[in-house]
Amino acid sequence: MPVLEIPPGFTRDEWIRYVHRGRRIIRTKSASNFELGDMLNEMMAARPYGEIGQLTALIAKQIRSSVGSLKKYRYVSTAWPAETRRDDVPWSVHLVLSGKPNRFQLIQQEPSDDLDPRDQGVWHYDTAQRAIQSLPNNPATPGERIETAKRLLRNTDEAAIAVTQLADRTEVLRQAVEDPGFRRAVRDANRDRGQRLEQQAHIDVEAGTHSEEAPGQNQQPTPPSPTVSYRDAPSSILRILGQCTSFCVSMQNAVVLAQEELLTTEEEEAVLDSLKKVRAVCDWCEHVVTTGQTDMDDELARLLGGGEGDQL
């Protein structure tokens, strides 16, 4: 049951008198709308269907109304025979409920409030909207406010801007990332973005390979990479070169796909630990190649796990 709220500067009796007065005015307006609708139905009852539009336009002009308004008055009066209407319920409520098959029973079920000594209903436009499972003009619950925002932000670009601006509120973002579905959606979006960036990078590289340098363009020459004869080089050397090339390509692709992921603390620590191990292995490999010694200090052995089958 709604709670009676008395604004400052009014006594309870004064405020209730104003409320009842306002409701009488609303009932009077509702009655006039029904009266117009009933009049139009009476006018059109014996007329051919083809004449109804012309007659409606003529009467609208002469009584200084609009065709659209008169059509609504007729529609509501037809949906609500006189004996089914409630004079204490606004015409706008009847309009909203007109399409409901159970409207005659539904309009009798509104709970009472403490402003009506006759214990009759407090139907208004928003409660009627809720009754037909539609959003009210003045959302009152978290669900209604969220659904209203979603309805207003149907345009993808506008919705994206709204999400970006909401991300400026740190408390909102912190609470949002607690939801597994939100984190998964962001990761999927980042993965798609990474794949697009990767594909674009390949396209750019291919375009640069086949394009000629513009006349007069001053570019710094890229130092040539050391080359070996793949026919004469030992298989161990070729294997090292292949592993390095494969690692560089794979890591570039992996990092692009992981770009801007919402990593958990555990995931970030695991990645950094693995990169530390990779860096240590690369230093050790360089030591072996330049000195021919395969010794490994205790710190490196501890970092790599010290056992067979350990993975980075």
Side-chain angles (χ1 to χ4, degrees):
M1 177 181 297
V3 178
L4 176 61
E5 182 179 354
I6 309 298
F10 294 89
T11 66
R12 178 185 175 89
D13 290 341
E14 287 174 338
W15 184 250
I16 289 180
R17 283 199 299 272
Y18 281 121
V19 171
H20 288 168
R21 180 180 173 185
R23 288 187 175 182
R24 284 195 298 271
I25 295 172
I26 291 295
R27 286 198 296 271
T28 301
K29 183 176 185 301
S30 297
S32 66
N33 289 345
F34 273 122
E35 186 176 0
L36 274 172
D38 292 339
M39 182 193 75
L40 291 167
N41 282 332
E42 180 182 341
M43 291 172 54
M44 310 298 179
R47 297 294 175 180
Y49 180 79
E51 295 182 5
I52 292 178
Q54 182 178 359
L55 289 174
T56 303
L58 180 60
I59 190 66
K61 179 180 179 180
Q62 293 184 359
I63 66 173
R64 299 175 183 177
S65 182
S66 68
V67 173
S69 295
L70 295 188
K71 286 182 177 179
K72 283 196 296 186
Y73 299 152
R74 273 199 70 208
Y75 168 69
V76 176
S77 291
T78 302
W80 296 90
E83 65 275 10
T84 66
R85 304 168 188 170
R86 285 183 55 173
D87 60 0
D88 60 326
V89 173
W91 178 87
S92 60
V93 172
H94 290 82
L95 169 64
V96 174
L97 299 181
S98 291
K100 297 285 288 185
N102 63 335
R103 57 187 177 277
F104 304 139
Q105 296 79 22
L106 185 62
I107 203 169
Q108 303 297 330
Q109 298 172 359
E110 176 66 5
S112 62
D113 73 340
D114 60 356
L115 291 178
D116 197 328
R118 294 177 299 172
D119 197 31
Q120 292 185 337
V122 290
W123 278 105
H124 52 80
Y125 187 82
D126 283 346
T127 56
Q129 289 290 99
R130 295 185 181 102
I132 64 171
Q133 306 299 315
S134 185
L135 289 175
N137 283 351
N138 301 288
T141 66
E144 289 178 351
R145 287 190 287 270
I146 291 171
E147 288 300 319
T148 300
K150 290 167 63 178
R151 180 179 63 182
L152 294 174
L153 294 172
R154 289 176 179 172
N155 181 276
T156 300
D157 293 337
E158 294 175 358
I161 294 173
V163 171
T164 302
Q165 293 182 354
L166 285 173
D168 290 340
R169 297 170 56 182
T170 307
E171 71 280 5
V172 173
L173 194 57
R174 286 176 177 172
Q175 187 167 341
V177 297
E178 293 297 325
D179 181 76
F182 177 79
R183 293 198 304 271
R184 183 167 54 252
V186 173
R187 281 198 296 266
D188 291 344
N190 276 326
R191 186 173 297 109
D192 292 342
R193 179 175 180 269
Q195 290 173 346
R196 291 196 304 272
L197 291 175
E198 183 181 9
Q199 292 171 358
Q200 186 60 47
H202 286 310
I203 293 174
D204 292 342
V205 168
E206 292 178 358
T209 301
H210 297 291
S211 63
E212 295 182 358
E213 184 177 343
Q217 185 175 1
N218 184 17
Q219 294 183 343
Q220 294 294 332
T222 303
S225 301
T227 59
V228 298
S229 171
Y230 288 93
R231 177 179 300 178
D232 301 328
S235 60
S236 59
I237 301 301
L238 296 179
R239 184 177 180 183
I240 293 175
L241 295 175
Q243 291 282 1
C244 290
T245 301
S246 177
F247 173 79
C248 291
V249 173
S250 298
M251 282 300 294
Q252 288 181 47
N253 294 339
V255 170
V256 168
L257 293 178
Q259 186 179 9
E260 298 180 7
E261 287 275 11
L262 289 179
L263 300 180
T264 64
T265 302
E266 293 78 9
E267 291 170 343
E268 182 176 347
E269 290 178 352
V271 170
L272 295 178
D273 183 64
S274 292
L275 291 175
K276 185 177 180 181
K277 291 179 180 179
V278 169
R279 195 175 295 110
V281 169
C282 290
D283 291 341
W284 177 74
C285 290
E286 183 178 353
H287 170 74
V288 174
V289 171
T290 56
T291 67
Q293 299 176 2
T294 60
D295 57 302
M296 183 181 296
D297 59 34
D298 293 339
E299 178 63 21
L300 179 57
R302 185 195 63 77
L303 181 63
L304 299 181
E308 294 181 358
D310 289 332
Q311 296 181 355
L312 299 179

